[in-house]
Amino acid sequence: RDPLKNRCKSISPGGCESVRITLEDVSLPVAVDYFERYQIKFIDCLLASSRRIQEERAAIVSYNRDFDKPGVRRVEPRYLLVM
């Protein structure tokens, strides 16, 4: 029994595989806007520009508070461990 797999299912009905971000899912114009406006790492801007993140259908799991600057939903991993 894989506890990480169960945690992923509790986050997303499709499990971990459904939360992958693809190139088709990100918006380069949004990422560039975040990069210029908030001066955070470009890779973080790309992740934050994800369509699923923008539509609030997913959250970024990270301790990195830079994701708070553009106002995307962020969940710290420690909160997932208590589920």
Side-chain angles (χ1 to χ4, degrees):
R1 193 171 156 197
D2 182 1
L4 179 59
K5 188 174 185 179
N6 290 334
R7 299 244 187 264
C8 290
K9 285 183 180 177
S10 68
I11 298 166
S12 171
C16 290
E17 298 300 314
S18 69
V19 272
R20 285 190 181 161
I21 294 177
T22 64
L23 286 176
E24 293 81 22
D25 188 47
V26 297
S27 168
L28 191 56
V30 171
V32 169
D33 177 56
Y34 285 168
F35 184 71
E36 290 173 347
R37 189 183 312 178
Y38 303 109
Q39 300 176 347
I40 56 180
K41 293 178 187 172
F42 191 72
I43 188 66
D44 293 345
C45 296
L46 277 175
L47 293 171
S49 76
S50 160
R51 180 177 35 85
R52 285 179 268 181
I53 299 296
Q54 293 293 311
E55 294 173 355
E56 298 182 1
R57 293 188 297 134
I60 292 178
V61 178
S62 175
Y63 286 110
N64 185 346
R65 291 188 177 154
D66 282 346
F67 289 112
D68 297 340
K69 293 177 184 177
V72 298
R73 186 168 160 231
R74 178 182 65 90
V75 177
E76 291 188 1
R78 64 184 169 159
Y79 293 119
L80 299 178
L81 296 175
V82 296
M83 294 177 103

